[in-house]
Amino acid sequence: MAMRNPPHPGQFIRDEILEANDLTVGTAAEHLGVARPTLSHLLNGKADLSAEMALRIEQVFGIRMKTLLAIQSAYDEAQVRQRTPKLRLKPFKRERSRG
């Protein structure tokens, strides 16, 4: 079962990479080859983790891209389920052929 309120991947990156390695946002951005504001937006939950950024993090810091994207996916699912009211949709039922 998925977590009810999984963290934004930016929080995970801040905790597990920046803080764990005593890095500033600017230094981490340099290592990743991205602009400081780009990384800052991700870390502050204002931007989603892209596949490209996940690959950069994997190559520089060794955290698997697949793991990072799974964190983003869990976050996205939780957000959509919380924001979207219960939809009144009818499940599809295939009609039996008359033969």
Side-chain angles (χ1 to χ4, degrees), residues 29-97:
E30 284 179 34
H31 284 283
L32 293 168
V34 299
R36 186 191 179 289
T38 301
L39 182 57
S40 182
H41 281 110
L42 172 62
L43 298 175
N44 292 317
K46 296 178 181 174
D48 290 339
L49 175 69
S50 68
E52 180 181 327
M53 182 67 84
L55 181 59
R56 288 172 182 265
I57 292 168
E58 178 183 87
Q59 290 180 353
V60 175
F61 296 106
I63 297 174
R64 292 182 61 203
M65 179 182 182
K66 185 176 183 175
T67 300
L68 295 165
L69 293 176
I71 294 168
Q72 180 68 56
S73 182
Y75 177 80
D76 290 344
E77 179 183 350
Q79 293 301 304
V80 121
R81 289 186 182 276
Q82 289 173 9
R83 278 196 314 261
T84 307
K86 186 167 183 169
L87 301 175
R88 296 177 186 263
L89 302 173
K90 293 181 183 179
F92 174 77
K93 291 183 182 176
R94 185 175 179 177
E95 293 183 28
R96 293 181 181 238
S97 61

